[in-house]
Amino acid sequence: MTTQEEIRLAQALDRIVHWQRWGPYLSDRQWGTVREDYSHDGTAWDYFTHEQARSRAYRWGEDGIAGISDNHQRLCFAIALWNGEDSILKERLFGLTGNEGNHGEDVKEYYFYLDNTPTHSYMKMLYKYPQTAFPYSQLVAENQRRNRRELEFELLDTGVFDDNRYFDVFIEYAKHSAEDILIQIKVVNRGLEAKTLHLLPTLWFRNTWSWNGDNSKPILKEVKLTDSCNTIEASHPTLGTRWLYCQETTEILFTENETNNQKIFGYANGYAYVKDGINDYIVEGLKEAVNPDKIGTKGSANYILKIGAGETKTIKLRLSDTQNLVEPLGKDFDVIFDKRQREADEFYQRIAPQSLSDDMRNVQRQAFAGMLWSKQFYHYIVEDWLKGDRNAPPPPPERQNGRNQEWFHLYNEDILSMPDKWEYPWYAAWDLAFHTIPLAMIDPEFAKYQLDVLTREWYMHPNGQIPAYEWKFSDVNPPVHAWATLRIYQIEQKIYGRTDRQFLERVFQKLMLNFTWWVNRKDAKGNNVFQGGFLGLDNIGVFDRSAELPTGGHIDQSDGTSWMGMYCLNMLAIALELAKTNPVYEDIATKFFEHFLYIADAMNKIGEIEASLWDESDGFYYDVLHLNEKQITLKVRSMVGLIPLFAIETIEPETLKILPGFKKRLEWFIRNRPDLRQNVACMETKGIGARRLLAIVSRDKLRSILQKMLDESEFFSPYGIRALSRFHAQHPYIFDVKGCQFRVDYEPAESSSSLFGGNSNWRGPIWFPVNFLLIESLQKFHSYLGDDFKLECPTGSGKMMTLGEIASEISQRLTRIFLKDSSGKRPVYGATQKFQNDPHWQDLILFYEYFHGDNGAGIGASHQTGWTGLVAKLIQECGEYKTQYYEQKNDEDKKAIALA
């Protein structure tokens, strides 16, 4: 049965109703971003600080707590809070900059994305607000005092949540129509005594008028439409007029979304009322800080709530395009909310298999919620940013030769999926590819748009490069877009029964340009061995692979070359799919087939002048350092040596049957190029179901690699596959250069190195994206090798498993990070007792950037649902596997009964 949410998605796709015009598109942090940085030296963290954010208008976007906006972020809504103790109004989430934290930037707040639907017809978020003064300076000072080998100092560590002295603030949205949004804010006092809270639901316009002399300035004003509500009228020259109906309050405060130049820069303000006016009115008691004429571009309803111990207070509002709602907050309000909540339950019930436990459903639901709450209006027109604005001081001359100056064509003005809207409030190319996998399960159109837009001419560089991320668009991320494109196509087909060949073909054609860029730019000697740079793996190597090597020379990268092998096979698979209806693509499939053979040959060559990336004595792949005529194998046992497993594709016999041109070329290579064939996993021998296999890793190499990968003293953690072997805990890799020592140690948690800012670590923790690709690769190997190919899992245990069972075991270990164990504890929260034991915390899930290699505790960005949201797909597959198992067992039982 088609759910109401699916009907809304279809209406949005057919442009009947614009259900996704409004959504959670505000950033969680706009300050400290490259977009807002106009410094001479590119120090974004220092140029626009959290301290300035309440007083200084943003140029490129807005942030807020639990906020929403329209899809061009003209009109914004979010909440602000004041507990009577803080030195500032709580309008945005606080955290440390990269220069302040002992492990890089880090948000220091507790907030949770609880629910969301693809059309944002229902959304729910929770923010936990301390009742005592927020410890801003303590968090900065203590984290700066600690070194990189010490834990981060967290908000819970300050004691502000002791004795439950905090408010739970639940923010919910329900759409009556695409332009009529109901808002409900519930505040619960978890403390032991009554407390007063100022709740300020805030409506404002993004400042688009100050920069280039735009005279069409929007306006907010108070109007009287009903006896039961206070109302703010919001008029915008392109958005039209909206009304915010507010449950009756004592006052609505107005100011302007304009910079307080006097406070920030020391010169006179051009406006009587400025961005921090409401803050100064509430916190400082400055009555003159807000406009008595009840007009402006920023307005807040001020609710002063005295809430008893354990008591809940509820405030209702409604943002609508209808002016004369008779009872906007009347009895229909609750009916609409209940209906949208039920529809959300029905939609996710349709998605999730019946066999999932309640705990698994909870984790998956919050994973999907995090994916959808992490959508953001991302605005960054690089040419305008480089040149500066007419009404602002010109950018420093250093900018013309600085960051992103070669990306002047880049024009970003879209709703995009962010890795983490506080810590990484900007798209990252390879992160985004992984985001699309769980997104495709619930909103295939949005998932497809994410990949499509990055290959369009206003994103992709004219030379074919895909932009990496705003700190340096020219950096190189692993080329996983082709993989994601094909997977979205397949997921939509499986879940929704439809195929979008137009999407597949459009993106494929643009990826042809990107593939050519890779070949031309990253293959130094033209020998099909690639030097990709850091490739998203930050500090995994002994050297910074994106910088000039201290030794000189260059590194042939096992992972760089393997990623290209994977890219080749992904493009081959797409071409074969397209060739089923257009024979022109047979020729292109042949091109990628042949290119893959050369890459696989280069990876596995032995006995040539150049050193092979495969080390026969260790049975593992390594990077190779080239110094003049000398080659040095860098024997760091890391994910770099596992990534060759990703380059695998199976070809079904039915495909070869309907594509005779491609089959003929494949057979020609088998007969006539034994020199290439010998270094590629078997193409000739037919596997299970007469499948053909293309892979870098042969059967023997696969067995050797997996023996290490499945060894619990090396890569195999109780919670997935580590990025670096534990072997290096006792055997660090050390490389001396002119008396200077470079080394790699096993570090299962935060990095002790400052490489790449020190805010992520690939020297021991568990990362979801590469684990996910390992699982898929093992499934493909299993489909070819079948149940007869078994390995000990774990190594040395005596327990034999097929590759399919091993893939399932890794998947279960990854999902185990979030699920309650036999004692009711979630590994993700480690020793944090509040999350483990408190009933108001223990079922709230944070999806961290990566996880402790030994105990599974969450590390890094705490809301990086982005690629960690892949757990939603793993849970889905686990449920499907259980369903199939029980159905099979049921059939067997029926047969046994019949025979009896």
Side-chain angles (χ1 to χ4, degrees):
M1 184 180 71
T2 303
T3 64
Q4 287 299 310
E5 181 63 12
E6 289 173 273
I7 292 171
R8 284 189 284 268
L9 283 168
Q11 291 174 335
L13 176 61
D14 294 336
R15 300 182 182 276
I16 298 171
V17 184
H18 199 344
W19 279 106
Q20 291 165 315
R21 171 175 282 132
W22 294 87
Y25 306 144
L26 279 185
S27 177
D28 287 338
R29 175 177 62 82
Q30 184 70 14
W31 57 274
T33 61
V34 168
R35 282 153 286 157
E36 303 295 341
D37 176 21
Y38 285 81
S39 66
H40 71 281
D41 54 358
T43 53
W45 282 121
D46 302 324
Y47 179 76
F48 199 138
T49 66
H50 175 269
E51 177 67 19
Q52 294 175 344
R54 69 179 180 276
S55 307
R56 187 173 176 179
Y58 295 124
R59 170 63 176 89
W60 295 101
E62 294 288 343
D63 56 18
I65 299 173
I68 63 172
S69 77
D70 67 279
N71 60 329
H72 293 285
Q73 205 170 91
R74 292 161 289 194
L75 183 60
C76 309
F77 173 88
I79 65 164
L81 304 159
W82 190 55
N83 56 17
E85 302 289 337
D86 284 350
S87 59
I88 61 172
L89 197 62
K90 176 64 73 173
E91 294 180 89
R92 56 190 48 80
L93 301 167
F94 173 73
L96 306 181
T97 70
N99 300 329
E100 292 171 331
N102 61 324
H103 292 287
E105 68 266 36
D106 185 30
V107 68
K108 298 297 183 186
E109 305 266 15
Y110 294 109
Y111 56 103
F112 306 88
Y113 303 129
L114 299 181
D115 211 352
N116 210 324
T117 59
T119 64
H120 314 301
S121 57
Y122 178 70
M123 300 188 284
K124 185 176 183 180
M125 181 176 163
L126 167 63
Y127 174 67
K128 291 182 178 286
Y129 184 44
Q131 294 173 353
T132 57
F134 197 91
Y136 294 104
S137 57
Q138 183 186 6
L139 286 165
V140 174
E142 179 59 24
N143 278 286
Q144 285 189 324
R145 186 193 67 77
R146 296 188 178 193
N147 63 43
R148 290 192 176 276
R149 295 197 174 276
E150 295 179 276
L151 295 174
E152 293 173 344
F153 184 65
E154 303 293 359
L155 184 57
L156 272 172
D157 299 329
T158 68
V160 294
F161 290 98
D162 290 355
D163 302 320
N164 291 328
R165 292 173 296 176
Y166 68 92
F167 299 105
D168 267 342
V169 185
F170 294 91
I171 307 96
E172 295 177 273
Y173 300 90
K175 291 183 180 179
H176 180 224
S177 69
E179 300 288 347
D180 188 2
I181 306 165
L182 284 59
I183 306 165
Q184 183 168 265
I185 305 167
K186 292 183 178 179
V187 184
V188 186
N189 180 359
R190 298 293 183 199
L192 300 176
E193 56 186 9
K195 287 290 181 179
T196 298
L197 175 72
H198 286 254
L199 171 65
L200 294 105
T202 302
L203 191 70
W204 75 100
F205 290 108
R206 178 167 63 90
N207 188 326
T208 58
W209 57 86
S210 292
W211 320 106
N212 289 301
D214 185 355
N215 294 321
S216 52
K217 185 177 179 180
I219 188 171
L220 298 174
K221 62 181 180 181
E222 185 172 6
V223 295
K224 189 66 176 176
L225 297 180
T226 72
D227 293 332
S228 60
C229 295
N230 299 86
T231 308
I232 300 175
E233 183 179 88
S235 299
H236 191 280
T238 60
L239 184 63
T241 304
R242 301 291 188 279
W243 291 267
L244 180 65
Y245 297 92
C246 307
Q247 185 174 321
E248 192 168 8
T249 180
T250 54
E251 59 185 349
I252 297 183
L253 310 171
F254 289 86
T255 189
E256 299 288 345
N257 187 13
E258 297 278 2
T259 297
N260 187 337
N261 290 311
Q262 181 64 51
K263 182 178 292 185
I264 300 297
F265 301 113
Y267 59 82
N269 289 321
Y271 292 84
Y273 308 101
V274 287
K275 184 177 178 179
D276 54 12
I278 295 171
N279 174 89
D280 292 350
Y281 176 89
I282 296 291
V283 179
E284 305 293 338
L286 299 177
K287 303 301 182 185
E288 66 276 16
V290 296
N291 192 338
D293 295 331
K294 305 290 185 177
I295 195 169
T297 48
K298 178 181 178 181
S300 298
N302 182 20
Y303 296 96
I304 304 173
L305 307 176
K306 187 167 185 179
I307 311 173
E311 187 183 5
T312 300
K313 289 283 181 75
T314 301
I315 297 297
K316 298 178 179 180
L317 307 99
R318 188 166 185 166
L319 180 62
S320 179
D321 64 342
T322 302
Q323 180 177 8
N324 296 311
L325 291 174
V326 178
E327 289 187 75
L329 309 178
K331 59 182 180 180
D332 287 346
F333 187 98
D334 293 331
V335 172
I336 295 167
F337 247 102
D338 291 343
K339 184 178 181 182
R340 293 294 180 257
Q341 288 173 324
R342 286 198 310 274
E343 290 169 353
D345 291 341
E346 290 167 1
F347 175 73
Y348 285 111
Q349 189 69 31
R350 148 96 166 85
I351 297 296
Q354 293 293 325
S355 58
L356 295 183
S357 67
D358 289 343
D359 195 25
M360 294 177 88
R361 287 180 185 277
N362 175 49
V363 173
Q364 187 186 53
R365 185 82 168 255
Q366 290 189 53
F368 283 134
M371 297 298 307
L372 295 170
W373 271 99
S374 295
K375 293 161 73 169
Q376 179 184 315
F377 172 74
Y378 185 86
H379 190 34
Y380 185 21
I381 303 170
V382 175
E383 184 177 13
D384 292 351
W385 179 78
L386 289 169
K387 291 180 178 177
D389 299 308
R390 189 191 320 156
N391 291 354
E398 293 90 344
R399 172 156 300 198
Q400 300 310 312
N401 297 308
R403 177 180 289 133
N404 296 331
Q405 48 83 22
E406 69 273 32
W407 288 81
F408 58 87
H409 73 286
L410 197 61
Y411 194 106
N412 301 146
E413 190 178 6
D414 286 290
I415 305 300
L416 298 174
S417 178
M418 300 293 114
D420 177 323
K421 285 206 300 187
W422 193 94
E423 191 147 336
Y424 305 115
W426 29 260
Y427 64 88
W430 84 302
D431 298 58
L432 190 57
F434 291 103
H435 300 186
T436 62
I437 304 305
L439 284 170
M441 297 170 62
I442 53 176
D443 190 356
E445 293 306 317
F446 181 71
K448 287 184 286 189
Y449 182 75
Q450 300 304 288
L451 296 182
D452 182 25
V453 75
L454 255 65
T455 63
R456 301 303 291 270
E457 60 273 19
W458 56 91
Y459 277 73
M460 179 182 277
H461 197 280
N463 65 18
Q465 185 176 10
I466 290 174
Y469 47 87
E470 70 176 29
W471 286 89
K472 189 177 181 181
F473 285 123
S474 291
D475 243 333
V476 181
N477 281 182
V480 289
H481 269 63
W483 165 78
T485 299
L486 183 60
R487 291 298 286 118
I488 289 176
Y489 177 84
Q490 294 166 336
I491 290 168
E492 183 176 22
Q493 184 177 30
K494 179 179 179 181
I495 295 180
Y496 297 96
R498 58 182 186 258
T499 56
D500 190 346
R501 300 183 75 82
Q502 187 179 49
F503 156 74
L504 192 65
E505 186 169 9
R506 183 171 58 245
V507 177
F508 176 79
Q509 290 178 357
K510 299 297 180 57
L511 289 177
M512 291 274 286
L513 301 175
N514 180 246
F515 185 88
T516 303
W517 174 84
W518 267 91
V519 172
N520 290 340
R521 296 299 182 94
K522 295 297 176 181
D523 181 4
K525 293 187 176 182
N527 59 2
N528 297 297
V529 178
F530 291 82
Q531 306 85 33
F534 87 107
L535 283 172
L537 307 187
D538 296 353
N539 64 342
I540 201 164
V542 67
F543 305 120
D544 181 345
R545 300 190 302 175
S546 280
E548 186 175 333
L549 298 176
T551 58
H554 71 273
I555 293 177
D556 284 345
Q557 293 181 214
S558 173
D559 55 334
T561 307
S562 301
W563 285 120
M564 282 303 291
M566 174 186 171
Y567 198 175
C568 260
L569 292 179
N570 297 149
M571 294 293 276
L572 167 63
I574 296 173
L576 290 174
E577 176 65 22
L578 294 172
K580 292 175 182 178
T581 55
N582 186 347
V584 169
Y585 285 98
E586 281 193 75
D587 294 342
I588 300 175
T590 299
K591 176 253 188 277
F592 284 108
F593 163 68
E594 294 182 7
H595 200 137
F596 172 73
L597 297 186
Y598 289 112
I599 290 175
D601 181 60
M603 277 286 293
N604 294 316
K605 269 183 180 174
I606 299 175
E608 304 288 336
I609 296 175
E610 298 285 327
S612 170
L613 299 176
W614 173 256
D615 187 278
E616 189 65 34
S617 61
D618 280 10
F620 206 69
Y621 286 100
Y622 297 109
D623 286 349
V624 174
L625 173 63
H626 290 255
L627 295 175
N628 299 320
E629 299 301 320
K630 187 178 180 183
Q631 291 90 40
I632 303 171
T633 299
L634 301 174
K635 291 195 174 186
V636 178
R637 206 170 288 173
S638 72
M639 186 61 64
V640 165
L642 301 180
I643 287 174
L645 296 171
F646 300 169
I648 175 176
E649 190 60 56
T650 56
I651 302 175
E652 301 295 328
E654 294 81 7
T655 300
L656 293 176
K657 185 176 181 180
I658 62 175
L659 301 176
F662 177 77
K663 180 181 179 182
K664 182 178 179 180
R665 189 64 176 162
L666 182 145
E667 301 291 356
W668 185 94
F669 259 84
I670 291 173
R671 290 193 307 270
N672 296 286
R673 292 301 304 271
D675 57 321
L676 292 177
R677 192 181 70 220
Q678 69 180 357
N679 284 316
V680 182
C682 184
M683 301 182 300
E684 186 173 9
T685 304
K686 295 177 182 178
I688 302 301
R691 294 183 179 93
R692 300 294 183 93
L693 175 73
L694 289 172
I696 283 177
V697 178
S698 66
R699 179 193 294 252
D700 291 339
K701 289 186 174 70
L702 176 65
R703 189 178 295 276
S704 177
I705 292 170
L706 293 187
Q707 283 175 348
K708 293 181 177 60
M709 192 183 88
L710 300 175
D711 188 333
E712 292 182 316
S713 67
E714 291 218 33
F715 288 98
F716 206 28
S717 163
Y719 306 100
I721 305 300
R722 303 177 176 101
L724 186 81
S725 171
R726 279 188 71 188
F727 169 83
H728 292 297
Q730 300 299 322
H731 307 91
Y733 183 82
I734 299 173
F735 196 101
D736 287 309
V737 181
K738 300 174 183 176
C740 184
Q741 191 177 87
F742 294 82
R743 60 186 291 155
V744 174
D745 295 87
Y746 173 70
E747 298 180 290
E750 289 92 351
S751 172
S752 62
S753 163
S754 61
L755 282 180
F756 293 88
N759 66 334
S760 68
N761 183 28
W762 287 81
R763 296 184 174 181
I766 296 151
W767 293 76
F768 261 73
V770 286
N771 270 262
F772 190 83
L773 290 177
L774 283 171
I775 290 169
E776 287 204 341
S777 298
L778 291 173
Q779 290 169 340
K780 287 182 180 180
F781 275 113
H782 178 243
S783 73
Y784 178 79
L785 295 170
D787 291 345
D788 291 337
F789 186 93
K790 293 185 178 182
L791 287 166
E792 277 188 309
C793 182
T795 299
S797 66
K799 184 178 182 181
M800 305 303 290
M801 289 190 184
T802 68
L803 294 179
E805 290 169 336
I806 291 170
S808 180
E809 176 67 20
I810 296 171
S811 179
Q812 290 177 44
R813 291 186 180 215
L814 289 166
T815 57
R816 190 183 299 161
I817 290 171
F818 300 101
L819 301 174
K820 289 182 178 179
D821 61 20
S822 58
S823 64
K825 303 294 189 291
R826 300 185 192 275
V828 63
Y829 290 131
T832 308
Q833 295 306 308
K834 195 75 170 173
F835 277 101
Q836 298 290 21
N837 302 318
D838 192 308
H840 300 302
W841 294 68
Q842 61 186 3
D843 290 328
L844 304 172
I845 311 298
L846 291 176
F847 298 88
Y848 287 84
E849 184 179 3
Y850 52 103
F851 302 87
H852 194 290
D854 296 335
N855 61 35
I859 308 168
S862 56
H863 292 75
Q864 196 162 357
T865 317
W867 60 20
T868 302
L870 289 164
V871 71
K873 185 69 167 63
L874 297 179
I875 289 174
Q876 185 80 3
E877 290 176 355
C878 177
E880 291 170 351
Y881 177 82
K882 285 183 179 178
T883 300
Q884 292 169 3
Y885 171 80
Y886 289 128
E887 287 176 350
Q888 182 180 350
K889 191 174 187 303
N890 190 41
D891 289 343
E892 291 171 353
D893 290 345
K894 286 180 179 178
K895 288 178 182 178
I897 292 171
L899 289 172

